[in-house]
Amino acid sequence: MEVNSKKAQEEIPLPEKLLKKLSYNQKRIVEELAKHPEGMLSRYLSHKTGVSNKSDTIKQRVRELLAKYDLEIRTKRIPEKAQWLWSLNYISSAE
């Protein structure tokens, strides 16, 4: 499992300008993911934020806004747990 190295990651700092442009629920999700750069399972993220419909909350407009600050939200299916892993990451510059 991918637990060892990711636990040492630090919280991702979020620009105040970005947070001002997000709705209450969008802000809660992004802030919680920033505190857990290793990612959070979908049920745990819902429990911590109170937002059950995360995919509808984090729409394309929010993803584009995050990209302006070199951030992205990634989702990855974890079949063993029958859940999605949500994470906030820096966009790697491959150019």
Side-chain angles (χ1 to χ4, degrees), residues 23-84:
S23 74
Y24 178 76
N25 284 341
Q26 292 165 346
K27 185 176 171 180
R28 288 192 57 145
I29 291 171
V30 171
E31 286 177 329
E32 200 60 43
L33 290 173
K35 292 177 190 173
H36 299 90
E38 71 279 1
M40 296 178 73
L41 291 174
S42 188
R43 286 186 205 125
Y44 186 63
L45 181 58
S46 290
H47 176 73
K48 293 290 281 183
T49 62
V51 180
S52 59
N53 201 350
K54 295 170 293 305
S55 294
D56 278 348
T57 304
I58 305 296
K59 294 192 181 245
Q60 186 62 30
R61 183 192 74 76
V62 177
R63 292 179 184 272
E64 290 169 1
L65 181 61
L66 288 169
K68 290 180 182 177
Y69 295 92
D70 293 326
L71 295 168
E72 67 179 342
I73 291 181
R74 295 182 190 158
T75 54
K76 178 183 174 185
R77 186 71 178 158
I78 309 295
E80 314 81 64
K81 300 202 180 254
Q83 292 190 66
W84 290 89

